[in-house]
Amino acid sequence: MQFPESWLRSFCNPPLTSQQLADTLTMAGLEVEELTPVAPPFDGVVVGQILTAEQHPNADRLRVCQVDVGRGQPLTIVCGAPNARPGIKVPCATVGAELPPGEDGQPFKISLGKLRGVESQGMLCSARELKLSDEHGGLLELAGDAVVGRNIREQLALDDMLFTLKLTPNLAHCLSVYGVAREVSALTGSPLVQPAFPAAPVQIQDRLPVHVQASDLCGRFSGRIVRGVNTQVKTPAWMVERLARCGQRSVSPLVDISNYVMFELGRPSHIFDLDKIHGGLQVRWGREGEQLKLLNGNTVSVDALVGVIADEQAVESLAGIMGGDATAVSDDTVNIFIEAAFWWPKAIAGRSRRFNFSTDAGHRFERGVDPSTTVQHVERITQLVLEVCGGQAGPLDDQTLALPEGRPVTLRVARAVRVIGMSLTQDQCAGALRRLGLEVSEGEGTLTVSPPAFRFDLQIEEDLIEEVARVIGYEQLPQTPPLGPITAKIRTEARRGPFAVRRQLAQLGYQETINFSFVDTRWEHELAGNPDPVRLLNPIASQMSVMRSSLLGSLVAVLRFNLDRKAERVRLFELGRVFFKDASVLSSDTTVAGFRQPMRVAGLAYGPVDALQWGMSARPVDFFDAKGDVQALLAPRVAEFRSAEHPAMHPGRTAAVWLDGQVIGHVGELHPRWRQGYELAQAPVLFELALDAVLAREVPVFLPVSRYQPVERDLAIVVKDSVTHAAVMEAVRAPASPWLRDAVLFDVYRSKKGADGTGALAADEKSLAVRLVLSRDDATLTDEQIEATVSDVLSALQQRVAARLRT
């Protein structure tokens, strides 16, 4: 909401500067979003009156004007404006004046000069040249009572400031200049000028029959007829100026009056052309098939959920939102009907959005407008209509059907003290509420308020606590230091932070995604194997109705999004929380009873291993690439990978990641069923790990370098093709020899024809070459020790995996 400071101060004028007033409003909850001057800085411009305007002897489009600027001797000024004529008063920039900067950003200085041989002693200005508006079709014509020679800034109040408020929905009573002034009076203690609503003299007895058929739409309806108005007159300059400074352009006298009262008092109203109304008016809900052409030119269809004002032939207005074109006032209007009504907020809320537009009237009515002042506001509109357009007013009709019942709200002073956090007495609380114009009855430790008709927001105790806090002033809240000691949680050396994990994954070529924790139920069934996910009571969309228990579904969806946009190589990861039902979890500062919420890290790789290059041939990413990334992520800790199953992954190309005897996650290709379902050209490789396990790391420990050379022994063993590498390595380490430092598989051989021609390998066998590294820190290993260790390893291999030495 925008308005000029001068209009506000006409109701309440506290001894504060503009900035202090803006700060006071902001600290009271009426945020001043912007505070700007009406006009940019300039000087040397005064009110001038054109005495004569003669044709320039050397130019067809220029006139030589004699301009009185109050200095005794008129100035000769050459002007090219089409409306330069004798008698009008316009802004005149005298020699030495400095006008606002032009397009080059430099101030424009007026100097003595010649135009086509005629000396010009100044410049007559348009509104655009003074940066007052974009109008540049001619000189800015001033009111006839403008004082010649007076500084134009003083004449037009250009030192005024524009306040732009950003109001929350509960502050509907501040959607008017008077409403803001009422708040300023309560906050500063300055007197408030109450507007007067004198009853208009009744000169005719004409009445328009109005039948309110829906009391749940309209609770009160007031109106009167005014005949013989002159709509050809101009809207007074002071009214045009105030409307312009509220961001509203002048349309016509009657429309301007209606808009002016809305900004002044906060009540939208409507003025009908009486001669265009057929019979009387009906206030009712719309009917299927009815249509209405609005003032903005749109034609809309209404139904039983939209309130309307209709006559005997058609719908004439959208109730509380916008008038219709058929009964709109025009330059030919002679007789009018003025309407002011109370529309129930629930009957207006959301209706304009159905038609893809919004109006000032709908914005106010859906938040609530005072139902007790419809008669006074009709009187105010009538007063201005008679002053500006003339005419004869008829008797005022007022129908009251159903009005909001203000329920008393009780404030407990002790609770207000706890919530606000400062020591307050009952007298302080009562005084703050009474300053707002609220009726307060006091009890022992309690205050009971009967909300006035204009305060739709006062419904519960917390509303009154907020009023007390903002009137006393949020800046008055004490700065109380915390009672308990605050100790920073320092991360141990054996744990790294999530940022380090993100950085490492980025270095591996992955890009981070951030996704909703709300996912599709289908993802939980298919990709997480979770038949009973945590359901949302009020989901934001049907496809986001449950909480995720796995990050993989979100990554696959992001992959699909990128593939639809022709991405060929995709690397994604996410750090996020997943959610499970768990009755063992109790409520605490970081947990919610009945729900387990661990953190996970997941990644997805799709497409070629590397971007297109000449150094190596292209190949698609596979299981071992993702496994390598997982190993790099966990390093220096060494994980074990065991064949496993996962609902989202390929049954034969999936491994469980084991660390310290526990499963911390899985890595594998996407299941062929889901690959087909998501229409993927190749199977992406995925991994998902518990973040706590990834964050843990071993603290480096100093170990002396052995002074004795290690010994290497290579074993070539034959095992069944079904024996896994993990089983072989487990058998090698089974003897737990103190001299065995490392064991590495460095070769695998299978017969190409199904059987080795020498008979060494059968069709279902394979040969593995394992290098053993043996070492001792305190002495050189003897041959007996070496042979004993190798023998123990061979025995374990034979017993555990039925291995034999290859001959």
Side-chain angles (χ1 to χ4, degrees):
M1 176 184 168
Q2 178 180 300
F3 57 86
E5 181 182 2
S6 59
W7 198 358
L8 174 64
R9 290 187 181 273
S10 68
F11 287 112
C12 182
N13 189 14
L16 302 174
T17 65
S18 299
Q19 188 60 54
Q20 289 173 335
L21 180 56
D23 294 341
T24 300
L25 289 172
T26 298
M27 291 306 298
L30 284 72
E31 180 185 352
V32 179
E33 190 175 28
E34 193 173 6
L35 180 64
T36 56
V38 170
F42 61 83
D43 58 22
V45 183
V46 299
V47 177
Q49 183 173 19
I50 300 179
L51 303 177
T52 62
E54 299 178 355
Q55 185 67 42
H56 192 290
N58 301 320
D60 294 338
R61 297 186 178 182
L62 297 179
R63 292 182 178 85
V64 180
C65 302
Q66 296 297 315
V67 183
D68 180 12
V69 294
R71 299 182 181 178
Q73 186 70 24
L75 302 179
T76 300
I77 298 177
V78 179
C79 177
N83 62 335
R85 63 185 186 277
I88 64 171
K89 295 179 180 179
V90 296
C92 178
T94 58
V95 174
E98 188 172 289
L99 299 186
E103 295 181 358
D104 58 357
Q106 299 297 321
F108 183 61
K109 294 185 178 181
I110 304 299
S111 59
L112 190 67
K114 288 187 177 182
L115 291 177
R116 295 292 183 92
V118 177
E119 185 177 71
S120 183
Q121 300 171 326
M123 173 180 169
L124 303 183
C125 303
S126 66
R128 185 177 186 180
E129 289 162 340
L130 297 180
K131 296 291 190 276
L132 302 182
S133 72
D134 292 331
E135 295 292 334
H136 61 285
L139 302 176
L140 174 61
E141 298 188 27
L142 305 175
D145 58 356
V147 179
V148 173
R150 188 180 186 186
N151 190 300
I152 198 68
R153 300 192 69 89
E154 183 181 353
Q155 178 65 43
L156 298 180
L158 298 183
D159 292 323
D160 200 359
M161 300 293 289
L162 295 181
F163 281 66
T164 303
L165 301 188
K166 186 178 181 180
L167 299 176
T168 52
N170 64 308
L171 296 175
H173 60 286
C174 295
L175 286 169
S176 66
V177 178
Y178 177 71
V180 176
R182 185 167 49 203
E183 290 291 306
V184 171
S185 177
L187 296 170
T188 63
S190 299
L192 177 67
V193 178
Q194 299 285 348
F197 304 102
V202 177
Q203 297 174 294
I204 59 175
Q205 297 301 318
D206 296 354
R207 297 176 184 268
L208 180 68
V210 178
H211 182 206
V212 180
Q213 300 177 3
S215 60
D216 56 340
L217 167 65
C218 177
R220 186 174 185 181
F221 193 97
S222 303
R224 69 153 31 113
I225 291 175
V226 179
R227 292 190 178 274
V229 297
N230 179 11
T231 55
Q232 304 292 332
V233 298
K234 287 188 175 182
T235 304
W238 60 268
M239 184 179 291
V240 173
E241 176 187 300
R242 281 186 171 178
L243 287 174
R245 294 180 183 182
C246 289
Q248 180 69 48
R249 66 180 182 87
S250 175
V251 179
S252 65
L254 294 177
V255 175
D256 292 346
I257 289 170
S258 178
N259 288 333
Y260 181 84
V261 174
M262 179 182 70
F263 285 113
E264 181 184 42
L265 304 175
R267 177 179 301 283
S269 58
H270 188 60
I271 300 179
F272 294 86
D273 188 325
L274 181 64
D275 297 327
K276 297 177 182 178
I277 298 176
H278 303 90
L281 293 179
Q282 303 170 7
V283 181
R284 57 175 173 79
W285 294 103
R287 297 165 184 163
E288 292 290 342
E290 290 184 324
Q291 290 189 330
L292 169 66
K293 184 178 180 181
L294 298 170
L295 289 173
N296 61 6
N298 295 344
T299 299
V300 298
S301 298
V302 302
D303 54 29
L305 298 178
V306 179
V308 299
I309 301 177
D311 61 15
E312 294 180 355
Q313 294 187 3
V315 175
E316 303 297 349
S317 175
L318 281 183
I321 299 176
M322 183 180 289
D325 180 70
T327 55
V329 295
S330 64
D331 291 343
D332 299 326
T333 298
V334 177
N335 305 311
I336 61 173
F337 178 73
I338 302 171
E339 164 263 310
F342 166 67
W343 307 101
W344 287 98
K346 289 184 178 179
I348 305 301
R351 269 51 174 193
S352 59
R353 287 188 289 275
R354 293 182 57 185
F355 306 114
N356 297 322
F357 66 83
S358 61
T359 63
D360 286 333
H363 181 77
R364 286 166 169 78
F365 279 126
E366 68 184 6
R367 285 160 174 76
V369 178
D370 189 351
S372 66
T373 55
T374 57
V375 171
Q376 293 90 327
H377 293 177
V378 171
E379 293 289 3
R380 174 61 170 158
I381 295 172
T382 305
Q383 175 191 8
L384 293 173
V385 168
L386 297 180
E387 288 178 3
V388 176
C389 302
Q392 296 178 321
L396 193 149
D397 291 325
D398 180 37
Q399 300 182 52
T400 301
L401 294 92
L403 299 181
E405 296 181 5
R407 298 179 181 177
V409 183
T410 299
L411 167 69
R412 293 166 290 174
V413 177
R415 174 166 168 75
V417 171
R418 288 200 309 271
V419 173
I420 297 174
M422 64 185 296
S423 179
L424 294 172
T425 65
Q426 183 164 326
D427 289 341
Q428 286 177 301
C429 294
L433 296 174
R434 289 193 175 102
R435 284 165 62 182
L436 290 168
L438 307 178
E439 293 183 7
V440 181
S441 59
E442 300 189 37
E444 186 174 347
T446 63
L447 302 172
T448 301
V449 172
S450 298
F454 61 88
R455 292 303 300 268
F456 284 79
D457 58 309
L458 300 182
Q459 298 179 0
I460 58 177
E461 183 179 19
E462 284 73 12
D463 295 331
L464 297 183
I465 294 175
E466 180 185 3
E467 296 302 297
V468 171
R470 69 187 192 88
V471 171
I472 291 177
Y474 295 117
E475 68 276 10
Q476 301 299 326
L477 290 174
Q479 297 180 357
T480 306
L483 300 178
I486 298 178
T487 305
K489 289 186 177 181
I490 301 175
R491 187 184 304 117
T492 64
E493 191 177 359
R495 186 178 179 85
R496 56 179 171 173
F499 179 77
V501 175
R502 290 186 171 93
R503 182 169 57 186
Q504 186 171 359
L505 283 168
Q507 290 172 345
L508 291 170
Y510 291 80
Q511 292 182 311
E512 184 176 11
T513 67
I514 300 175
N515 302 292
F516 279 109
S517 296
F518 319 134
V519 299
D520 194 334
T521 306
R522 183 172 62 90
W523 294 3
E524 285 298 294
H525 290 305
E526 296 176 353
L527 301 178
N530 184 9
D532 188 23
V534 179
R535 295 193 174 276
L536 298 174
L537 295 177
N538 186 24
I540 59 177
S542 61
Q543 71 275 16
M544 305 172 74
S545 58
V546 299
M547 304 294 288
R548 65 185 179 183
S549 63
S550 170
L551 305 181
L552 299 181
S554 300
L555 293 181
V556 173
V558 175
L559 170 65
R560 182 69 267 173
F561 180 87
N562 282 270
L563 295 180
D564 289 343
R565 284 147 186 82
K566 306 303 180 183
E568 296 180 354
R569 182 177 182 273
V570 181
R571 298 289 187 278
L572 305 169
F573 81 91
E574 181 177 7
L575 268 73
R577 199 173 294 280
V578 294
F579 305 85
F580 301 90
K581 294 180 179 179
D582 189 343
S584 65
V585 178
L586 303 178
S587 288
S588 69
D589 293 341
T590 58
T591 60
V592 178
F595 300 97
R596 184 162 51 90
Q597 308 175 52
M599 291 288 291
R600 298 272 183 86
V601 55
L604 178 149
Y606 179 92
V609 174
D610 293 299
L612 185 65
Q613 57 164 301
W614 61 270
M616 60 184 296
S617 59
R619 68 172 180 86
V621 66
D622 59 22
F623 169 87
F624 296 100
D625 295 308
K627 177 186 174 184
D629 291 338
V630 171
Q631 289 175 322
L633 192 60
L634 295 173
R637 305 178 75 191
V638 178
E640 184 180 354
F641 296 83
R642 302 180 187 175
S643 178
E645 293 185 359
H646 188 282
M649 299 180 184
H650 195 294
R653 300 175 185 175
T654 301
V657 184
W658 287 73
L659 196 63
D660 298 333
Q662 294 183 339
V663 177
I664 66 167
H666 291 82
V667 57
E669 286 187 6
L670 185 66
H671 198 291
R673 183 189 307 167
W674 312 136
R675 171 188 167 185
Q676 182 178 5
Y678 286 96
E679 299 179 353
L680 303 176
Q682 71 178 70
V685 187
L686 313 99
F687 65 84
E688 184 173 23
L689 308 172
L691 184 61
D692 285 342
V694 177
L695 296 180
R697 61 181 177 182
E698 295 177 351
V699 179
V701 178
F702 170 76
L703 293 175
V705 178
S706 177
R707 298 168 55 190
Y708 304 97
Q709 190 172 1
V711 176
E712 295 179 353
R713 290 289 186 269
D714 292 344
L715 301 178
I717 60 174
V718 177
V719 296
K720 293 292 184 181
D721 198 50
S722 60
V723 175
T724 64
H725 168 263
V728 171
M729 290 296 106
E730 185 178 354
V732 168
R733 294 186 174 90
S737 170
W739 321 129
L740 181 62
R741 302 300 190 196
D742 195 11
V744 179
L745 174 70
F746 65 90
D747 185 56
V748 178
Y749 171 75
R750 291 182 178 88
S751 175
K752 296 181 180 180
K753 297 182 179 180
D756 193 321
T758 64
L761 292 180
D764 61 345
E765 291 181 329
K766 61 183 175 182
S767 174
L768 304 179
V770 179
R771 174 165 296 172
L772 306 181
V773 180
L774 303 133
S775 177
R776 183 172 176 175
D777 296 332
D778 56 348
T780 302
L781 287 171
T782 64
D783 291 341
E784 292 78 6
Q785 292 171 331
I786 296 172
E787 293 302 326
T789 301
V790 173
S791 177
D792 290 342
V793 170
L794 287 173
S795 298
L797 287 169
Q798 183 179 6
Q799 294 172 6
R800 289 174 174 264
V801 296
R804 70 178 188 275
L805 279 175
R806 183 178 178 185
T807 58

